[in-house]
Amino acid sequence: MACGENPKRVYGTRNTSPATGMGNVAGYRRAWQSAAEYRARWRKWRADGADPEKRPDRNLQMETLMGVLDGEIRVQNHCYRGDEMATMIEVAREFGYKIASFHHAVEAYKVRDLLVEHDICASMWADWWGFKLEAYDGIRENIGLVHEAGGCAIVHSDSAEGIQRLNQEAAKAIRAAAEAGITVDRAAAVRWLTINPARALGIDKLTGSLEPGKNADVVIWSGDPFSVYTRAERVFLDGALVYDRGDRQRQPRRDFTLGILPEVRR
Amino acid sequence: MRIAAAFALAACTALPILAQGQAAAPARPAATARAPQPAPSGESIAITNARILPVSGAAIERGTIVIRGGRIVAVGAGVTAPAGARVIDGSGKVVTPGLIESATQIGIVEIPGSAEGTADQATTDARLSAAFTVTDSFNPHSTVIPVTRVDGITRALVVPAGTGSVILGQAALMDLGGEHVPLSVTRAPAAMLAALGEAGAGLAGGSRSTAILQLREALEDAADYAANRAAFNTAQRRGYSRSRLDLAALQPVLRGEVPLAVQANRASDLLAAMRLAEQYKLRLVLIGAAEGWMVADEIARRKVAVVVKPLTNIPAFDALGATLENAARLSKAGVTVAFTAFDTHNARNLRQEAGNAIAHGMDRDAALRAVTLAPAQLWGAADRIGSLDAGKEADIVVWSGDPFELTTGAEHVFIKGREVPKDTRQRQLLERYRDVKTMPRR
């Protein structure tokens, strides 16, 4: 789900709703009401004996939304501004669904108490700000402030470049937090990159921490993972060695790169 | 108050005659709280006992650097703080020159995505592209400036991003002290920007070849204009592909006084740019150069400098050879390399770019040079900034540790000898929301 300027821009430029913040929320409430009624029809049909002759029409969109209302599908909500996060929390409460995480959440620090109260994660950039108005109040202490409040802080990238170095993004957040008087130990900051996102994605029983019984998703770093000079040496996914810095046979090579450069040494 | 101020500004923009009149008058120093305050005249500042990386020479352990009257007056291990100087204890700290970002839109772009009126980096006017000058739009009160300088970036090459022509306009080297033009101008024009390769093709009707031709046509028309100015002004000369102002703006480029900075990535495009520059005897700087490493020896042989973003490694058809080792390989081949983060709001991540260049094989001194002395040389200001030498303008950063580590920070930043205040709009937001019990809404 998305709040804010993106839906306003995408639909507004087509001269169709939702062209405003109010339009966004009205559209969401309309959809959730339809989903609630759809669920009621199916529940009633089952309760009445599931007569194949009287089966309600199947609607794949409504079925997906029903999955959210039933707690089977998690909501990842793109939302920059604090007031919009607060509004979306109200919508979720009205219709009885759960928001797993607000994404970008540039103003999470302004509503960090609400995020903690409603057990909602915030998936944040370390330092992106200002490229649009809803990102203008982005501060580098955002991650540290959510963390300090006891919230589920996640470092995300939303970028093909940034995702390659989430550890460095976290390092910047550690520094900013420290300057604001928030001490974050390395072990806590690792959680921003591992168990917290696993929790937001609903896979924390499988991965996100090093515990017996969990999938063996393991990284061996050349040193302090928060140093700019540190490199991932080996990466295991489900126990399989999928990357080895010292072994070219264990480095990803896609079909795409074959034969299009005289000598690709990437 | 805020609304009244906004209206006053809007009223000004509706009065171009007034603005014109002001342009002729000398600009005054900014009198805002945001601008660094000048040190009392004659006051000396000494940073003592620090590890000093002057860039122009070897590292100095437990050295002292003395600033007075906006300039560096002494640097060395045997230097002592003058009597009465403000002393900053640099024990355990690292001191470098102020960092220089080599391609950004700081000061000409505020909120590009939602407030188009605050974005002045581009023109669609193909008639006025070479003449396009960023200093005419530069806003020293941009909130991006304090955020950038508190992280140790003291000067920036502010570049245009025109969409009307392969010639994008004139870049200027600006200091981030927060003063109005011309006081904040270090050098203008510092470069003439042009786009070749895929971007140039897009601006020139769909082909790399046309992009080259349009550039060639502009240069030849400019040369013809210079030789026949009187005839042109009396309509005795053939028509030109460019406006009079564009032709005039290209003269210092033809004379080799201002570098032509060409944005291109593919190896073949870099070679094409070098052939063009050689033909017209231009000073060339390559910007982007993602496949620079593939033709590094050729770039080094021609003594062409490059500006790279070291973290560029996502392959595209314009840059299939993009690699994190580009900067290291270019540097090892003997090419003069400067860095950019290709960002405006996060130009402050320049040191992360430098750190990653080192992590991927670049020599540590060369990486520091790529954000200090190398850009100072490229943009024509090496006599004033870029290294810690007596006589140079005092752009100095005191770092809490290794300047390229992300868990360190800039503790003191000086621009032209004035200490930059820590205050930023972001810091004020932090203070307003620092205590969860008293923050707004509670």
Side-chain angles (χ1 to χ4, degrees):
Chain A
M1 294 172 68
C3 306
E5 291 183 31
N6 286 13
K8 281 156 61 176
R9 185 188 64 242
V10 169
Y11 296 96
T13 51
R14 294 182 203 161
N15 234 351
T16 171
S17 182
T20 66
M22 292 85 82
N24 283 347
V25 176
Y28 284 134
R29 294 184 69 226
R30 194 183 309 121
W32 291 123
Q33 184 58 35
S34 299
E37 287 166 7
Y38 180 81
R39 178 166 70 167
R41 279 198 295 281
W42 276 87
R43 281 185 174 171
K44 183 170 186 308
W45 175 71
R46 286 203 185 88
D48 290 348
D51 178 357
E53 295 293 313
K54 295 179 182 167
R55 199 194 75 153
D57 284 344
R58 204 174 156 205
N59 177 320
L60 296 181
Q61 292 212 39
M62 286 299 132
E63 199 167 283
T64 306
L65 294 181
M66 185 169 74
V68 173
L69 295 178
D70 287 343
E72 291 163 2
I73 297 173
R74 308 172 72 78
V75 170
Q76 311 288 336
N77 201 336
H78 160 118
C79 216
Y80 283 68
R81 264 170 32 189
D83 60 321
E84 294 187 327
M85 287 185 251
T87 300
M88 293 312 291
I89 289 171
E90 285 308 308
V91 173
R93 183 150 62 183
E94 179 181 357
F95 292 96
Y97 68 91
K98 175 152 175 55
I99 299 165
S101 188
F102 284 115
H103 287 247
H104 313 333
V106 161
E107 293 185 0
Y109 66 98
K110 296 187 182 180
V111 291
R112 57 198 192 273
D113 51 337
L114 284 181
L115 299 180
V116 172
E117 183 188 335
H118 294 275
D119 188 31
I120 299 171
C121 296
S123 306
M124 298 164 280
W125 288 299
D127 53 13
W128 287 23
W129 75 285
F131 48 93
K132 45 184 174 173
L133 194 57
E134 63 187 1
Y136 197 49
D137 286 3
I139 63 173
R140 278 192 299 201
E141 295 82 2
N142 198 26
I143 292 166
L145 287 168
V146 170
H147 171 86
E148 182 194 49
C152 167
I154 294 168
V155 178
H156 88 334
S157 72
D158 200 35
S159 150
E161 220 184 65
I163 193 174
Q164 301 177 56
R165 283 168 293 278
L166 283 176
N167 56 319
Q168 293 184 13
E169 298 306 301
K172 290 186 282 187
I174 292 172
R175 170 70 193 179
E179 284 186 13
I182 304 165
T183 307
V184 181
D185 64 47
R186 297 286 205 266
V190 169
R191 283 185 215 118
W192 300 344
L193 307 171
T194 55
I195 194 68
N196 289 359
R199 200 173 122 195
L201 294 169
I203 54 173
D204 50 325
K205 295 224 170 17
L206 302 173
T207 187
S209 60
L210 301 178
E211 290 177 81
K214 279 198 166 180
N215 293 11
D217 295 351
V218 180
V219 185
I220 301 174
W221 299 92
S222 61
D224 174 5
F226 299 110
S227 166
V228 75
Y229 307 117
T230 295
R231 307 275 298 272
E233 296 275 356
R234 277 184 227 176
V235 181
F236 297 87
L237 219 160
D238 290 343
L241 179 62
V242 293
Y243 175 80
D244 186 338
R245 203 179 144 209
D247 180 358
R248 293 192 64 81
Q249 298 305 309
R250 293 280 183 185
Q251 293 174 9
R253 186 141 188 236
R254 291 145 306 144
D255 293 351
F256 176 73
T257 60
L258 299 178
I260 56 174
L261 280 178
E263 184 206 8
V264 181
R265 294 194 303 125
R266 302 193 61 252
Chain B
M1 265 316 271
R2 226 155 247 253
I3 291 164
F7 274 112
L9 281 175
C12 276
T13 55
L15 292 170
I17 295 161
L18 203 155
Q20 226 170 24
Q22 283 174 338
R28 286 174 303 153
T32 68
R34 282 193 185 139
Q37 295 307 300
S41 68
E43 189 208 39
S44 295
I45 302 163
I47 304 160
T48 59
N49 284 318
R51 175 174 163 78
I52 299 172
L53 305 176
V55 180
S56 50
I60 301 161
E61 304 300 334
R62 300 186 64 77
T64 292
I65 181 162
V66 181
I67 307 165
R68 191 169 55 240
R71 292 184 183 276
I72 299 167
V73 293
V75 193
V79 171
T80 49
R86 176 189 162 207
V87 175
I88 295 171
D89 181 12
S91 305
K93 315 293 183 194
V94 177
V95 176
T96 70
L99 308 189
I100 305 170
E101 157 61 55
S102 281
T104 181
Q105 269 126 22
I106 291 172
I108 58 170
V109 166
E110 193 70 22
I111 311 177
S114 349
E116 289 80 1
T118 66
D120 292 299
Q121 78 282 15
T123 178
T124 55
D125 187 346
R127 218 178 50 85
L128 289 171
S129 59
F132 183 92
T133 307
V134 295
T135 48
D136 291 335
S137 301
F138 187 79
N139 175 17
H141 297 161
S142 164
T143 58
V144 185
I145 289 175
V147 161
T148 308
R149 68 189 180 198
V150 298
D151 268 20
I153 295 175
T154 57
R155 314 237 177 180
L157 187 78
V158 178
V159 299
T163 52
S165 158
V166 294
I167 298 178
L168 311 177
Q170 300 172 63
L173 185 63
M174 308 296 293
D175 76 56
L176 301 184
E179 295 173 304
H180 280 289
V181 172
L183 294 178
S184 51
V185 178
T186 308
R187 193 178 180 91
M192 179 70 72
L193 269 284
L196 293 179
E198 204 170 284
L203 293 165
S207 168
R208 286 174 160 79
S209 297
T210 343
I212 296 267
L213 282 175
Q214 288 187 2
L215 198 49
R216 196 182 287 280
E217 187 177 35
L219 291 165
E220 292 188 1
D221 282 354
D224 191 84
Y225 166 78
N228 301 283
R229 207 170 296 218
F232 171 82
N233 284 330
T234 51
Q236 305 284 307
R237 199 69 192 165
R238 66 173 170 82
Y240 292 132
S241 61
R242 298 265 157 183
S243 67
R244 180 177 56 83
L245 290 176
D246 268 17
L247 297 169
L250 287 166
Q251 298 308 319
V253 178
L254 284 170
R255 290 195 298 266
E257 293 161 13
V258 167
L260 180 71
V262 171
Q263 297 175 4
N265 286 306
R266 204 172 79 178
S268 66
D269 296 325
L270 304 177
L271 293 173
M274 290 193 286
R275 286 196 300 271
L276 185 86
E278 200 163 84
Q279 183 187 346
Y280 295 100
K281 302 194 169 30
L282 311 176
R283 266 182 64 206
L284 178 68
V285 176
L286 296 168
I287 298 197
E291 290 189 351
W293 64 274
M294 294 166 65
V295 287
D297 290 341
E298 192 71 3
I299 298 173
R301 188 177 67 75
R302 295 177 194 245
K303 300 196 181 344
V304 169
V306 298
V307 174
V308 300
K309 174 177 160 55
L311 287 173
T312 300
N313 74 332
I314 309 280
F317 282 105
D318 199 41
L320 290 168
T323 167
L324 295 170
E325 292 176 17
N326 189 31
R329 291 177 188 171
L330 282 163
S331 178
K332 280 185 184 136
V335 176
T336 298
V337 177
F339 292 158
T340 177
F342 279 142
D343 206 320
T344 293
H345 296 81
N346 270 339
R348 56 189 178 176
N349 284 336
L350 184 62
R351 65 197 189 106
Q352 186 181 8
E353 298 283 343
N356 279 282
I358 295 166
H360 291 88
M362 191 162 182
D363 173 72
R364 188 172 281 271
D365 291 340
L368 178 60
R369 186 174 281 263
V371 289
T372 53
L373 194 52
Q377 286 164 341
L378 296 192
W379 314 128
D383 55 331
R384 294 169 56 185
I385 54 168
S387 62
L388 301 178
D389 291 302
K392 281 203 170 179
E393 292 174 19
D395 280 21
I396 300 172
V397 187
V398 181
W399 303 93
S400 64
D402 180 341
F404 299 143
E405 274 291 12
L406 304 166
T407 46
T408 63
E411 297 189 345
H412 301 274
V413 179
F414 294 87
I415 298 177
K416 295 192 286 193
R418 299 173 187 178
E419 180 153 14
V420 162
K422 290 281 186 196
D423 190 40
T424 65
R425 185 171 180 277
Q426 268 62 20
R427 177 170 276 236
Q428 291 187 26
L429 280 162
L430 169 66
E431 283 165 8
R432 190 169 158 92
Y433 287 89
R434 181 65 190 88
D435 185 344
V436 79
K437 291 188 206 67
T438 56
M439 68 184 186
R441 190 178 58 79
R442 298 294 300 189

